[in-house]
């Protein structure tokens, strides 16, 4: 890619050519991208910045927060609250929604985010990331409330993540394919490094936490057993396995070279449909994956069709190379029909 295209230029051209990014949405995306730059600076300081380790607090999920979880959340709130593009925000790290204070103008968008996903990897220097999802506030003429966020993922107008790895890369969709921007630290700018990202329909690579095998439902066990049987088994080919335990890093690999990612229901907590959160992990990742030609289900249903019942609800996730996701989903449907 000879000429360097900035994030701003990309967004302006998407608006000019496709009318997909009204001014307020462009401002929102640029503000989130700037916040991710700030988060990457804190992440990259590590021990030198005194940002490693626990914050000695718990989030709504009952998880001990890392210092960087809290820092990243504060950066995103402070960056987005004054611009006039948002009505409210929701975060994995906050119990309830954050309504833009009255001292600032309210906008028409709702922003949801996992400010720092994979934070168990922070202290061991493994890639982590920020995941975000954007929807429009329903035009109901009154103030904004939690109920306004409870829209199916198909209502997203934009979604993306920033992966803080060997490169800092912003991955974005506004509904017209997936583009990747790499942070040029010398210029402090996001540079378009890939567009029209396409996930291969087939793969030989699966991502799942194998330590949970004894807790899986039969369709998951069947699929993984077939992968492990390799070329002598039903699939007739050998498979590779990866599990980074940072959804952002695993999904980035799948967007880059294909694969299937699974965090299924398991019997450790049978009342929970899965570990991952629907609104600010599964929905944005499902939007990106589908925009790149892949598929995303909860084993039975398209993730983007799921009607949320609560802000922090969880969901089982199977996403990535279309033909593999369809196979896993078919196994679940066969099992459900028994
Ligand atoms: P486990 C990180 O905590 C996360 O929410 C996802 O990013 C990741 O895919 C998953 O949990 C890892 O879970 O049970 O393997 O540690």
């Amino acid at each position: 890619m000879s000429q360097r295209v900035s994030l701003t230029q990309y967004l302006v051209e998407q608006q000019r050519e496709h009318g997909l990014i009204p001014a307020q949405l462009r401002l929102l995306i640029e503000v989130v991208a700037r916040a991710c730059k700030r988060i990457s600076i804190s992440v990259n300081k590590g021990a030198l910045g005194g940002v490693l380790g626990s914050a000695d607090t718990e989030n709504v999920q009952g998880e001990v927060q890392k210092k960087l979880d809290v820092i990243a959340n504060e950066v995103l709130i402070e960056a987005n609250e004054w611009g006039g593009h948002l009505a409210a925000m929701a975060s994995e790290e906050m119990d309830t929604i954050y309504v833009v204070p009255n001292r600032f103008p309210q906008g028409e968008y709702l922003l949801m985010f996992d400010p720092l996903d994979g934070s168990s990897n922070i202290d061991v220097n493994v890639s982590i990331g920020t995941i975000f999802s954007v929807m429009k506030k329903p035009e109901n003429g009154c103030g904004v409330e939690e109920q306004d966020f409870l829209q199916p993922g198909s209502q997203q107008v934009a979604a993306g993540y920033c992966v803080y790895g060997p490169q800092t890369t912003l991955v974005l969709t506004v509904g017209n394919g997936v583009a990747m921007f790499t942070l040029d630290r010398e210029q402090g700018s996001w540079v378009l490094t890939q567009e029209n990202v396409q996930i291969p329909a087939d793969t030989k690579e699966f991502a799942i936490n194998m330590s949970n095998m004894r807790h899986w439902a039969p369709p998951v066990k069947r699929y993984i057993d077939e992968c492990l049987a390799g070329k002598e088994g039903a699939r007739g080919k050998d498979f590779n396995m990866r599990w980074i335990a940072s959804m952002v890093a695993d999904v980035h690999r799948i967007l880059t070279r294909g694969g299937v990612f699974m965090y299924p229901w398991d019997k450790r907590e049978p009342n929970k449909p899965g570990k991952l959160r629907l609104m600010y992990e599964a929905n944005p990742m499902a939007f990106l994956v589908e925009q790149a030609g892949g598929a995303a289900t909860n084993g039975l249903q398209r993730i983007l069709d799921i009607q949320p019942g609560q802000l922090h609800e969880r969901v089982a996730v199977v996403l990535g190379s279309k033909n593999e996701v369809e196979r896993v989903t078919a196994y679940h449907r066969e099992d459900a029909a028994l």
Side-chain angles (χ1 to χ4, degrees), residues 216-291:
W216 296 336
V220 176
K221 186 94 175 43
R222 173 185 174 191
Y223 176 77
I224 297 297
D225 282 347
E226 288 180 353
C227 291
L228 296 176
K231 61 164 67 79
E232 293 77 28
R235 300 300 308 275
K237 62 183 181 179
D238 292 337
F239 280 75
N240 191 25
M241 194 211 92
R242 287 285 183 275
W243 187 248
I244 304 173
S246 272
M247 186 185 196
V248 172
D250 281 313
V251 170
H252 192 73
R253 184 189 58 256
I254 288 169
L255 280 170
T256 306
R257 69 184 191 206
V260 58
F261 171 97
M262 300 168 73
Y263 211 114
W265 170 92
D266 69 49
K267 59 188 178 188
R268 289 175 297 168
E269 294 187 277
N271 299 327
K272 286 182 182 174
K275 171 179 183 182
L276 302 178
R277 289 78 176 185
L278 174 62
M279 300 304 292
Y280 38 80
E281 288 176 333
N283 272 342
M285 292 309 201
F287 189 17
L288 286 162
V289 164
E290 286 198 1
Q291 283 290 313

